[in-house]
Amino acid sequence: MAITTSGVGSGLDINGLITQLMTAERMPEKQMALKKAEFEAKLTALGSVKSALSTFQGTVAGLTSTSQFRKMSATLADTTIGTVTVSSIAAASSYSLKVDQIAQSHKVKSGSYSSIDSVVGSGKLTIQFGTLEQIDPADPSNLNPDGTYEPTDTKFTLNAKQAAIQVDIGPGSNTLSGIRDAINAKKAGVTASIINDGGGFRLVLSATESGADASMKISVTDDDGNATDAAGLSQLAYDATQAVGSGQNMTQTQQAQSAVFYLDGIKITKASNVVSDVLSGVTLTLQKATDGKTTSLSISRDTSGVVDKVGEFVKGYNELMAQLKELTAYNDKSKEAAVLQGDQAIRSVQTQLKGILNGVMAGSGDLRRLTDVGISFDKAGVMTFDTDKFGKALTSNPDAVASLFGAYGSTTDQQVKYISSKAATQAGNYPVIITDLATQGIVRANTVSNTNFDLTGLSTSFTISINGKSSANITLEAKDYGSMSALAAEMQTKINGDTGLKASGITASVVWNSVTERFEFSSTRFGKESKVEIGTASADAQTMLGMTTGKQATLFGGTLMSSTITAGVNDSLTLKVNGGAATAITLDAAAYANGNDLALHIQSKLDAEPALAGAKVVYNSANNRLEFFSANTGTNSAIEITSANPSVRETLGLSVRAGVTTGLDVAGSIGGVQAQGAGQVLTGQGEATGLALEVGGGLASPNGASRGMATYNRGFAYQLDQLLTSIQSKTGTLAGRSDSINKAIKGVDDQKERFERRMVTTEARYRAQFTALDVQIASLQNTSSYLNQQLAALTANNRR
């Protein structure tokens, strides 16, 4: 029987056979593709989940701000007289309002000049602010129709709160336009402009602040030697208490005046037309008088905005849950599972969300659950919103509703203010104890006569360093100031008007202490960075003002609980001053009338001890404490209480401590854990970590007593916002699950790559095997053909 084949050599169909075999070999490839498609579908689904969570977080974030839950609205019946805005602390009410006059700023004009380049003069302008008063009440007016004042009937009282402005006018800026530019370059308190009135050019100066106490007084140091005449730079002098042409050389074009209005019949006077300190949380901006008529101001709670936001939150939650349900569903009829059915990450997200929403806030109030404000779930798990219940809760207790949603802090002491918190701050109620109030750096001058206010003919100048920044030389005008308080006000305006200090945002306070008869210079900053040091003082400043150079050590006592001294109980303490020997003093047993009387008695005991002669003591009535200080200034200024028994501390607030040449940071504890003080801000540790409270005043906690409670809550919206941020972060639940799936996809790709390499090897092996078979078959076929030929030949021979 013949062997036949259709291969090249043998007739064998090698390609067909290999194709069929490789098709069988590639069967796992389909499973890999299906697995990869499944993983990719999950990845796509997780992307849609993240997008849905982000959308929901947008509705959550809208509820984390607590102020919107206390939002108020206000209206004026007559909208032409001004505008009104309110903050969340305003109280709902209505008031009658009548405006007699609005506030306006002081304006003066110079004489006429032919050109803006006309030379005026050189020297220095000093601009101060204060109140122009009429001396004789029987006189109809001290203001003339032409805008000038009657100097004999006018008194100028300096406003110590407004810093003086000093403008140097050199040869390069002595023209009308040059002086304008030099004044405006100061950017402080006054603006200058030039007006062409048709007859010439006039320099117009306008105070930037309005109010009766913002009238300008312009003093001139004229390089021509005459500071008041109508020549040179003194043409710009303006002192309403001086004669026209002899110091009152500019003319008033607009009188400084305060706003005068009546609220529910109560007369109110304010320097500005923007009034924010009459009704708590209410800002009135007055624009015109009511011409004797009365209008109404209405304040009410605005709940519409937050109700809408809560509605969006409820809708957003339900849409998110519906999407998660769809992605994790299982169809019993079709036996088909959704792409994320059984996914642990999604179950974790659902569990965490529901855990927060079903939680209970810390505290003991009536509003601690979302159900308390009308947000609940039906049997199907759908969130519902009872707007009526929410509205009633919001109207009756907006603070409680606010704390239910946002991160919210509050205090029971009005002078302790919640500032901020951190992620580590735990919700809870924390007792607040203040052991030291924040203080300011201070230097007290030596005692001087209370009649040293006449500096006529004297050269009184000094430099001062505030918070580490030194002033330029400050020179006081050589004149009679009329009182020590007026002289203190003059020094304060000159210090606060110093260019260097002002550029650094540094201000100081100068007061005359009539009890101790000395000037007190203090920084307005609180804490250990608050420092005051007298740099230099002229001989007249030393004599008249009692100034000596250097820093000064002050020892701040705690709260004075009693002015009664009992023998053997709280009558003795030991002090050391300026490096001298520690010396004990014994106070006389008595019930002193007040802190001042007690301080005077302690001072008499200090003065009786030579070693303590440099020690001084005053009573600070504002903070109800005794303050000891060294009369010396400089490197040897030191004071210290070296011993005092517990009763001295409990009654007089005095304990063992050294004086400081700076202010003190506030000190105390929050929640029983020592807190960190910086200026007036006390920041908690432990569970209260990051809870920042501003202690604005009051008394140090007497004998460890609490200054009330600080309460901090992390509301539902705040918690949800933090959770959603965490879930969607690079290290969050969804990122972890996505990373896991991406790794699985890569695993499939790697498997596919290995599979392809194996398929290439397998096909090559098959082809080699079949090729060898083809050769073998061809050889057999050739042998068969040869044998057939031989047999045919034998048959032919036999026939012969």
Side-chain angles (χ1 to χ4, degrees):
M1 181 176 177
I3 299 175
T4 62
T5 181
S6 59
V8 173
S10 64
L12 185 67
D13 186 5
I14 295 174
N15 287 332
L17 290 170
I18 291 175
T19 298
Q20 292 179 52
L21 287 170
M22 291 307 297
T23 299
E25 290 283 353
R26 285 187 175 276
M27 287 300 292
E29 188 174 36
K30 184 176 182 181
Q31 293 301 318
M32 285 186 281
L34 289 173
K35 185 180 290 187
K36 182 176 180 180
E38 180 183 343
F39 285 138
E40 288 176 338
K42 287 188 176 184
L43 202 60
T44 301
L46 283 176
S48 67
V49 169
K50 186 172 182 179
S51 177
L53 287 171
S54 179
T55 300
F56 175 55
Q57 188 174 17
T59 69
V60 171
L63 296 173
T64 56
S65 172
T66 58
S67 61
Q68 64 189 317
F69 293 92
R70 305 187 302 278
K71 189 176 181 181
M72 307 294 291
S73 63
T75 57
L76 283 170
D78 183 353
T79 58
T80 66
I81 69 166
T83 60
V84 58
T85 59
V86 289
S87 71
S88 59
I89 64 173
S93 190
S94 60
Y95 306 88
S96 64
L97 175 65
K98 181 167 74 77
V99 182
D100 280 2
Q101 70 178 33
I102 61 171
Q104 60 186 29
S105 60
H106 196 205
K107 295 184 179 184
V108 294
K109 67 179 181 179
S110 71
S112 182
Y113 294 85
S114 60
S115 165
I116 64 172
D117 297 321
S118 297
V119 174
V120 180
S122 58
K124 179 185 287 186
L125 298 174
T126 299
I127 306 172
Q128 295 173 293
F129 304 91
T131 304
L132 291 175
E133 301 174 78
Q134 189 173 351
I135 297 174
D136 184 5
D139 191 341
S141 176
N142 61 343
L143 179 61
N144 298 318
D146 62 357
T148 60
Y149 281 86
E150 293 291 341
T152 58
D153 193 22
T154 303
K155 176 184 177 183
F156 180 83
T157 302
L158 188 66
N159 179 0
K161 294 181 181 179
Q162 275 195 273
I165 304 168
Q166 293 187 339
V167 186
D168 291 318
I169 307 297
S173 59
N174 62 359
T175 64
L176 201 65
S177 60
I179 294 172
R180 174 199 62 193
D181 296 342
I183 292 173
N184 289 337
K186 289 292 181 179
K187 297 180 181 179
V190 174
T191 57
S193 59
I194 296 174
I195 293 178
N196 182 357
D197 63 2
F201 296 88
R202 298 178 185 272
L203 182 69
V204 176
L205 302 184
S206 305
T208 55
E209 298 290 334
S210 59
D213 61 355
S215 294
M216 290 181 286
K217 175 187 174 183
I218 306 170
S219 304
V220 176
T221 302
D222 198 333
D223 285 351
D224 67 9
N226 191 322
T228 60
D229 67 355
L233 190 62
S234 55
Q235 295 174 82
L236 304 182
Y238 184 77
D239 184 348
T241 66
Q242 302 299 314
V244 175
S246 297
Q248 189 181 166
N249 298 340
M250 298 183 79
T251 305
Q252 176 176 280
T253 59
Q254 180 170 287
Q255 184 178 4
Q257 69 179 31
S258 298
V260 179
F261 59 98
Y262 292 82
L263 197 67
D264 278 355
I266 300 172
K267 183 178 180 180
I268 299 169
T269 302
K270 292 293 176 182
S272 173
N273 288 317
V274 180
V275 182
S276 58
D277 58 352
V278 172
L279 293 172
S280 182
V282 180
T283 300
L284 272 171
T285 302
L286 304 175
Q287 296 172 343
K288 74 169 189 177
T290 57
D291 298 325
K293 298 178 181 178
T294 299
T295 189
S296 62
L297 165 64
S298 300
I299 303 168
S300 58
R301 187 163 300 283
D302 182 3
T303 62
S304 59
V306 73
V307 168
D308 290 343
K309 286 187 177 182
V310 174
E312 292 171 3
F313 161 75
V314 172
K315 179 183 176 185
Y317 175 80
N318 288 332
E319 289 176 348
L320 172 65
M321 289 298 107
Q323 186 167 356
L324 294 181
K325 183 178 181 180
E326 180 181 345
L327 292 171
T328 58
Y330 179 78
N331 191 318
D332 289 328
K333 293 181 178 179
S334 64
K335 307 300 181 183
E336 292 182 351
V339 65
L340 294 178
Q341 201 275 327
D343 191 280
Q344 182 59 39
I346 301 303
R347 283 205 301 267
S348 174
V349 169
Q350 292 172 314
T351 300
Q352 290 179 83
L353 289 174
K354 291 177 181 178
I356 290 175
L357 293 170
N358 290 320
V360 181
M361 291 291 104
S364 58
D366 294 332
L367 304 181
R368 299 172 59 202
R369 301 172 178 82
L370 286 177
T371 55
D372 296 331
V373 292
I375 299 173
S376 57
F377 296 91
D378 63 16
K379 293 180 179 179
V382 176
M383 184 180 284
T384 62
F385 181 33
D386 185 339
T387 55
D388 289 340
K389 186 174 182 179
F390 181 84
K392 290 177 182 177
L394 188 61
T395 300
S396 62
N397 199 342
D399 287 344
V401 176
S403 67
L404 198 60
F405 284 87
Y408 183 75
S410 61
T411 59
T412 56
D413 189 314
Q414 292 185 352
Q415 295 190 77
V416 178
K417 180 182 178 183
Y418 166 77
I419 299 295
S420 62
S421 61
K422 291 186 177 180
T425 311
Q426 300 299 306
N429 299 313
Y430 301 100
V432 178
I433 295 176
I434 307 300
T435 53
D436 278 314
L437 292 170
T439 63
Q440 299 151 289
I442 186 170
V443 166
R444 296 175 173 88
N446 291 328
T447 299
V448 294
S449 169
N450 60 11
T451 60
N452 279 17
F453 46 74
D454 187 356
L455 304 185
T456 303
L458 301 180
S459 178
T460 312
S461 63
F462 60 92
T463 61
I464 190 168
S465 173
I466 310 290
N467 304 341
K469 177 72 175 179
S470 296
S471 73
N473 193 54
I474 294 170
T475 301
L476 302 181
E477 189 177 350
K479 69 172 189 177
D480 186 346
Y481 286 89
S483 71
M484 299 302 273
S485 294
L487 181 53
E490 176 79 8
M491 286 191 281
Q492 179 172 311
T493 61
K494 289 291 182 70
I495 292 171
N496 292 339
D498 178 80
T499 302
L501 296 178
K502 195 166 190 175
S504 299
I506 294 172
T507 57
S509 170
V510 183
V511 297
W512 168 252
N513 189 324
S514 59
V515 176
T516 62
E517 296 191 327
R518 65 180 79 236
F519 289 107
E520 297 178 352
F521 302 80
S522 59
S523 166
T524 56
R525 182 175 181 173
F526 285 83
K528 64 182 180 183
E529 299 302 321
S530 177
K531 308 168 187 176
V532 179
E533 181 177 358
I534 303 299
T536 62
S538 68
D540 289 333
Q542 295 177 43
T543 302
M544 301 298 289
L545 308 180
M547 298 179 99
T548 56
T549 59
K551 302 176 183 178
Q552 186 177 65
T554 299
L555 190 155
F556 300 96
T559 302
L560 178 65
M561 297 303 297
S562 172
S563 296
T564 298
I565 301 298
T566 304
V569 177
N570 64 344
D571 61 341
S572 65
L573 64 156
T574 303
L575 297 96
K576 185 165 63 173
V577 63
N578 302 332
T583 305
I585 60 172
T586 301
L587 307 179
D588 295 343
Y592 295 91
N594 50 49
N596 274 326
D597 284 357
L598 178 59
L600 289 172
H601 174 67
I602 296 173
Q603 186 65 62
S604 70
K605 294 295 184 179
L606 296 173
D607 293 341
E609 296 292 340
L612 301 178
K616 305 295 179 183
V617 61
V618 295
Y619 171 66
N620 184 326
S621 59
N623 297 112
N624 187 32
R625 67 182 177 219
L626 296 169
E627 296 179 2
F628 292 78
F629 63 95
S630 166
N632 289 7
T633 54
T635 56
N636 69 334
S637 180
I639 191 163
E640 181 180 0
I641 295 178
T642 59
S643 67
N645 64 32
S647 295
V648 171
R649 177 172 184 169
E650 292 167 4
T651 56
L652 307 184
L654 302 175
S655 58
V656 174
R657 66 165 49 176
V660 293
T661 57
T662 66
L664 291 175
D665 290 326
V666 64
S669 63
I670 300 175
V673 179
Q674 190 67 30
Q676 294 181 341
Q680 292 180 294
V681 177
L682 195 65
T683 304
Q685 303 295 308
E687 291 186 355
T689 291
L691 180 61
L693 307 175
E694 183 181 70
V695 184
L699 305 177
S701 303
N703 301 327
S706 171
R707 278 282 298 266
M709 300 293 290
T711 299
Y712 179 71
N713 260 329
R714 292 181 179 277
F716 292 106
Y718 179 89
Q719 292 181 55
L720 284 172
D721 189 52
Q722 295 293 304
L723 172 64
L724 292 167
T725 297
S726 174
I727 289 172
Q728 298 173 84
S729 70
K730 293 180 179 179
T731 58
T733 305
L734 293 186
R737 185 69 180 109
S738 295
D739 289 345
S740 175
I741 294 174
N742 278 319
K743 288 178 181 177
I745 291 174
K746 187 176 185 305
V748 173
D749 288 339
D750 291 344
Q751 183 183 5
K752 180 71 165 42
E753 186 178 342
R754 291 192 301 271
F755 178 80
E756 288 297 335
R757 288 198 298 268
R758 185 164 59 83
M759 290 299 97
V760 170
T761 302
T762 300
E763 184 175 349
R765 177 167 51 81
Y766 281 148
R767 192 167 294 281
Q769 290 172 341
F770 277 102
T771 299
L773 179 62
D774 184 43
V775 170
Q776 193 71 19
I777 292 173
S779 176
L780 291 173
Q781 288 175 335
N782 289 333
T783 300
S784 175
S785 177
Y786 172 76
L787 291 174
N788 285 331
Q789 290 174 1
Q790 292 300 315
L791 288 173
L794 287 173
T795 301
N797 289 330
N798 289 331
R799 287 177 180 174
R800 292 181 184 153

